[in-house]
Amino acid sequence: MVTTAPVRTRDVLWTDISEIYAAVLAHPFIAGLTDGSLPRESFRHYIVQDAHYLRGYARALAVCAAKAPTEQDTVMFAQHAAGAVAAEQDLHAALMGEMGSTAEAAANEPVAPTTRAYVSYLMATTQSGSFAEAVGGVLPCYWIYARVGEELLARSSPDPLYARWIAMYGGDDFQTVVDDVLALTDRIGAELSPRELERMREHFTTTSRYEWMFWDAGYRQETWPV
Protein backbone atom coordinates (compact mmCIF):
# COMPACT_ATOMS: atom_id res chain seq x y z
CA MET A 1 0.00 0.00 0.00
CA VAL A 2 1.37 3.35 -1.06
CA THR A 3 0.90 6.21 1.37
CA THR A 4 1.32 9.84 0.51
CA ALA A 5 2.67 12.47 2.83
CA PRO A 6 0.12 15.03 4.04
CA VAL A 7 0.17 18.33 2.22
CA ARG A 8 1.92 20.97 4.28
CA THR A 9 0.13 24.25 4.88
CA ARG A 10 3.19 26.17 3.69
CA ASP A 11 2.95 24.42 0.31
CA VAL A 12 -0.73 25.33 -0.05
CA LEU A 13 0.02 28.96 0.78
CA TRP A 14 3.01 29.24 -1.55
CA THR A 15 1.07 27.71 -4.45
CA ASP A 16 -1.55 30.41 -3.93
CA ILE A 17 1.00 33.19 -4.46
CA SER A 18 3.38 31.69 -7.03
CA GLU A 19 2.37 34.26 -9.65
CA ILE A 20 2.65 37.11 -7.15
CA TYR A 21 6.15 36.01 -6.20
CA ALA A 22 7.15 35.82 -9.87
CA ALA A 23 5.89 39.38 -10.30
CA VAL A 24 7.98 40.47 -7.28
CA LEU A 25 11.17 39.02 -8.77
CA ALA A 26 10.42 40.64 -12.13
CA HIS A 27 9.81 44.08 -10.65
CA PRO A 28 12.33 46.77 -11.70
CA PHE A 29 12.98 47.63 -8.06
CA ILE A 30 14.34 44.13 -7.44
CA ALA A 31 16.17 43.98 -10.77
CA GLY A 32 17.65 47.41 -10.08
CA LEU A 33 19.09 46.25 -6.76
CA THR A 34 21.11 43.51 -8.41
CA ASP A 35 22.45 45.44 -11.39
CA GLY A 36 22.90 48.66 -9.46
CA SER A 37 20.53 50.65 -11.67
CA LEU A 38 17.93 51.37 -8.98
CA PRO A 39 17.86 55.15 -8.39
CA ARG A 40 19.10 56.06 -4.93
CA GLU A 41 16.01 58.22 -4.37
CA SER A 42 13.80 55.18 -4.94
CA PHE A 43 15.86 53.16 -2.46
CA ARG A 44 15.76 56.00 0.05
CA HIS A 45 11.98 56.25 -0.27
CA TYR A 46 11.74 52.51 0.32
CA ILE A 47 13.97 52.64 3.41
CA VAL A 48 12.00 55.53 4.92
CA GLN A 49 8.72 53.72 4.37
CA ASP A 50 10.17 50.42 5.58
CA ALA A 51 11.05 52.11 8.88
CA HIS A 52 7.44 53.28 9.22
CA TYR A 53 6.21 49.82 8.23
CA LEU A 54 8.40 47.88 10.65
CA ARG A 55 7.10 49.86 13.61
CA GLY A 56 3.58 48.75 12.67
CA TYR A 57 4.72 45.23 11.84
CA ALA A 58 6.29 44.90 15.29
CA ARG A 59 2.93 45.73 16.84
CA ALA A 60 1.23 43.11 14.66
CA LEU A 61 3.78 40.52 15.80
CA ALA A 62 3.13 41.52 19.41
CA VAL A 63 -0.56 40.75 18.84
CA CYS A 64 0.44 37.35 17.45
CA ALA A 65 2.46 36.79 20.62
CA ALA A 66 -0.58 37.64 22.76
CA LYS A 67 -2.81 35.23 20.82
CA ALA A 68 -0.31 32.38 20.56
CA PRO A 69 -1.53 29.02 21.92
CA THR A 70 1.74 28.02 23.61
CA GLU A 71 4.37 29.79 25.69
CA GLN A 72 7.00 28.85 23.12
CA ASP A 73 5.01 30.55 20.34
CA THR A 74 4.46 33.61 22.52
CA VAL A 75 8.18 33.93 23.20
CA MET A 76 9.02 33.50 19.51
CA PHE A 77 6.71 36.24 18.27
CA ALA A 78 7.67 38.56 21.13
CA GLN A 79 11.33 38.13 20.20
CA HIS A 80 10.55 38.76 16.55
CA ALA A 81 8.62 41.93 17.44
CA ALA A 82 11.66 43.20 19.34
CA GLY A 83 13.87 42.20 16.42
CA ALA A 84 11.76 44.20 13.97
CA VAL A 85 12.22 47.32 16.08
CA ALA A 86 15.96 46.65 16.39
CA ALA A 87 16.26 46.27 12.61
CA GLU A 88 14.48 49.57 12.12
CA GLN A 89 16.77 51.30 14.60
CA ASP A 90 20.08 49.79 13.53
CA LEU A 91 20.10 48.90 9.84
CA HIS A 92 17.91 51.75 8.68
CA ALA A 93 19.84 54.29 10.72
CA ALA A 94 23.08 53.06 9.10
CA LEU A 95 21.60 53.08 5.60
CA MET A 96 20.12 56.54 6.03
CA GLY A 97 23.50 57.78 7.25
CA GLU A 98 25.18 56.43 4.12
CA MET A 99 22.60 58.30 2.03
CA GLY A 100 23.33 61.59 3.78
CA SER A 101 20.35 61.66 6.12
CA THR A 102 19.35 60.45 9.57
CA ALA A 103 16.82 58.08 11.08
CA GLU A 104 15.29 61.01 12.93
CA ALA A 105 14.70 62.90 9.69
CA ALA A 106 13.18 59.78 8.11
CA ALA A 107 10.80 59.32 11.05
CA ASN A 108 9.39 62.79 10.40
CA GLU A 109 8.60 62.07 6.74
CA PRO A 110 4.97 61.22 5.86
CA VAL A 111 3.71 57.66 5.86
CA ALA A 112 2.89 56.89 2.20
CA PRO A 113 -0.49 55.48 1.08
CA THR A 114 0.65 51.88 0.50
CA THR A 115 2.50 51.79 3.82
CA ARG A 116 -0.57 53.09 5.65
CA ALA A 117 -2.86 50.59 3.92
CA TYR A 118 -0.58 47.60 4.50
CA VAL A 119 -0.04 48.33 8.20
CA SER A 120 -3.74 49.03 8.71
CA TYR A 121 -4.63 45.69 7.12
CA LEU A 122 -2.11 43.87 9.31
CA MET A 123 -3.43 45.45 12.49
CA ALA A 124 -7.05 44.74 11.58
CA THR A 125 -6.25 41.12 10.71
CA THR A 126 -4.16 40.34 13.77
CA GLN A 127 -6.48 42.09 16.22
CA SER A 128 -9.85 40.87 14.92
CA GLY A 129 -8.94 37.48 13.45
CA SER A 130 -7.93 34.12 14.88
CA PHE A 131 -4.32 33.21 15.62
CA ALA A 132 -4.14 31.35 12.29
CA GLU A 133 -5.45 34.40 10.44
CA ALA A 134 -2.90 36.58 12.21
CA VAL A 135 -0.08 34.22 11.20
CA GLY A 136 -1.35 34.19 7.62
CA GLY A 137 -1.25 37.99 7.58
CA VAL A 138 2.28 38.44 8.94
CA LEU A 139 3.90 35.48 7.16
CA PRO A 140 4.57 37.05 3.71
CA CYS A 141 6.87 39.70 5.17
CA TYR A 142 9.00 36.90 6.63
CA TRP A 143 8.85 34.43 3.79
CA ILE A 144 8.89 36.56 0.65
CA TYR A 145 11.79 38.60 2.00
CA ALA A 146 13.74 35.41 2.72
CA ARG A 147 13.05 34.01 -0.75
CA VAL A 148 13.88 37.31 -2.44
CA GLY A 149 16.99 37.68 -0.29
CA GLU A 150 18.14 34.18 -1.22
CA GLU A 151 17.61 34.90 -4.91
CA LEU A 152 19.40 38.24 -4.75
CA LEU A 153 22.26 36.92 -2.66
CA ALA A 154 23.20 34.65 -5.56
CA ARG A 155 23.45 37.73 -7.77
CA SER A 156 24.54 40.33 -5.17
CA SER A 157 25.02 43.88 -6.44
CA PRO A 158 27.82 46.11 -7.69
CA ASP A 159 26.45 48.81 -5.39
CA PRO A 160 27.84 48.31 -1.83
CA LEU A 161 24.75 49.87 -0.25
CA TYR A 162 22.39 47.51 -2.04
CA ALA A 163 24.71 44.55 -1.41
CA ARG A 164 24.53 45.28 2.32
CA TRP A 165 20.73 45.21 2.30
CA ILE A 166 20.72 41.97 0.28
CA ALA A 167 23.13 40.31 2.71
CA MET A 168 20.80 40.96 5.64
CA TYR A 169 17.76 39.26 4.15
CA GLY A 170 19.63 36.58 2.24
CA GLY A 171 21.70 35.39 5.20
CA ASP A 172 21.33 32.19 7.23
CA ASP A 173 20.28 34.00 10.41
CA PHE A 174 17.15 35.44 8.83
CA GLN A 175 16.35 32.13 7.13
CA THR A 176 16.44 30.39 10.52
CA VAL A 177 13.86 32.86 11.82
CA VAL A 178 11.64 32.19 8.82
CA ASP A 179 12.00 28.41 9.17
CA ASP A 180 10.67 28.63 12.73
CA VAL A 181 7.57 30.50 11.58
CA LEU A 182 7.00 28.05 8.72
CA ALA A 183 7.19 25.13 11.14
CA LEU A 184 4.54 26.82 13.29
CA THR A 185 2.44 27.45 10.17
CA ASP A 186 2.45 23.77 9.29
CA ARG A 187 1.66 22.77 12.87
CA ILE A 188 -1.38 24.99 13.32
CA GLY A 189 -2.50 24.56 9.71
CA ALA A 190 -2.86 20.79 10.15
CA GLU A 191 -5.55 21.40 12.79
CA LEU A 192 -7.64 24.00 10.95
CA SER A 193 -11.09 23.45 9.55
CA PRO A 194 -11.48 24.06 5.78
CA ARG A 195 -13.13 27.43 6.51
CA GLU A 196 -10.37 28.49 8.91
CA LEU A 197 -7.70 27.49 6.39
CA GLU A 198 -9.50 29.46 3.69
CA ARG A 199 -9.41 32.61 5.83
CA MET A 200 -5.70 32.08 6.52
CA ARG A 201 -5.05 31.67 2.79
CA GLU A 202 -7.01 34.82 1.99
CA HIS A 203 -4.97 36.95 4.37
CA PHE A 204 -1.70 35.41 3.19
CA THR A 205 -2.52 36.19 -0.44
CA THR A 206 -3.64 39.74 0.37
CA THR A 207 -0.50 40.67 2.28
CA SER A 208 1.63 39.02 -0.42
CA ARG A 209 0.03 41.45 -2.85
CA TYR A 210 0.91 44.25 -0.45
CA GLU A 211 4.54 43.11 -0.56
CA TRP A 212 4.60 43.67 -4.32
CA MET A 213 2.82 46.99 -3.88
CA PHE A 214 5.35 48.09 -1.26
CA TRP A 215 8.30 47.62 -3.59
CA ASP A 216 6.36 49.25 -6.40
CA ALA A 217 5.55 52.23 -4.20
CA GLY A 218 9.24 52.60 -3.36
CA TYR A 219 10.21 52.46 -7.03
CA ARG A 220 7.62 55.13 -7.90
CA GLN A 221 8.49 57.19 -4.80
CA GLU A 222 4.81 57.18 -3.97
CA THR A 223 3.19 60.19 -2.32
CA TRP A 224 -0.36 61.14 -1.49
CA PRO A 225 -2.12 62.44 -4.63
CA VAL A 226 -4.05 65.15 -2.75
Side-chain angles (χ1 to χ4, degrees):
M1 180 177 178
V2 177
T3 59
T4 58
V7 177
R8 299 182 303 178
T9 301
R10 73 176 76 181
D11 297 328
V12 173
L13 296 175
W14 194 259
T15 298
D16 287 344
I17 68 153
S18 59
E19 293 184 2
I20 297 172
Y21 179 64
V24 167
L25 289 184
H27 196 282
F29 186 101
I30 301 300
L33 283 172
T34 58
D35 65 16
S37 66
L38 180 69
R40 279 296 173 92
E41 280 306 306
S42 291
F43 187 69
R44 184 188 184 282
H45 186 281
Y46 163 82
I47 292 298
V48 169
Q49 294 305 311
D50 197 39
H52 289 312
Y53 168 82
L54 284 175
R55 284 190 285 272
Y57 187 63
R59 294 184 179 95
L61 294 178
V63 177
C64 289
K67 290 190 171 186
T70 71
E71 290 183 0
Q72 181 180 358
D73 297 336
T74 295
V75 169
M76 182 187 74
F77 278 117
Q79 290 174 338
H80 293 181
V85 174
E88 185 269 319
Q89 292 175 337
D90 297 336
L91 178 66
H92 290 102
L95 292 174
M96 290 301 296
E98 292 185 37
M99 289 185 286
S101 186
T102 64
E104 292 75 16
N108 290 324
E109 295 189 26
V111 179
T114 296
T115 308
R116 180 78 69 188
Y118 190 177
V119 170
S120 296
Y121 186 88
L122 281 175
M123 295 307 299
T125 299
T126 55
Q127 290 178 343
S128 66
S130 66
F131 179 64
E133 288 178 86
V135 172
V138 301
L139 181 56
C141 186
Y142 285 102
W143 201 2
I144 291 178
Y145 265 76
R147 293 290 294 268
V148 168
E150 183 181 27
E151 180 76 22
L152 297 188
L153 194 61
R155 309 179 201 174
S156 192
S157 176
D159 187 309
L161 189 67
Y162 300 164
R164 181 176 179 181
W165 181 91
I166 290 169
M168 175 180 176
Y169 289 105
D172 291 339
D173 289 346
F174 186 63
Q175 186 60 59
T176 298
V177 169
V178 176
D179 287 342
D180 289 341
V181 182
L182 290 174
L184 177 147
T185 299
D186 290 338
R187 172 165 53 84
I188 65 171
E191 301 174 353
L192 297 178
S193 69
R195 178 59 186 141
E196 290 171 327
L197 178 59
E198 184 63 30
R199 288 197 294 266
M200 186 184 195
R201 292 170 66 180
E202 178 182 354
H203 293 308
F204 180 77
T205 297
T206 298
T207 50
S208 295
R209 290 186 170 119
Y210 271 122
E211 286 295 317
W212 182 94
M213 291 171 63
F214 196 84
W215 274 306
D216 186 65
Y219 187 74
R220 294 184 290 105
Q221 302 173 48
E222 178 191 59
T223 58
W224 292 93
V226 292

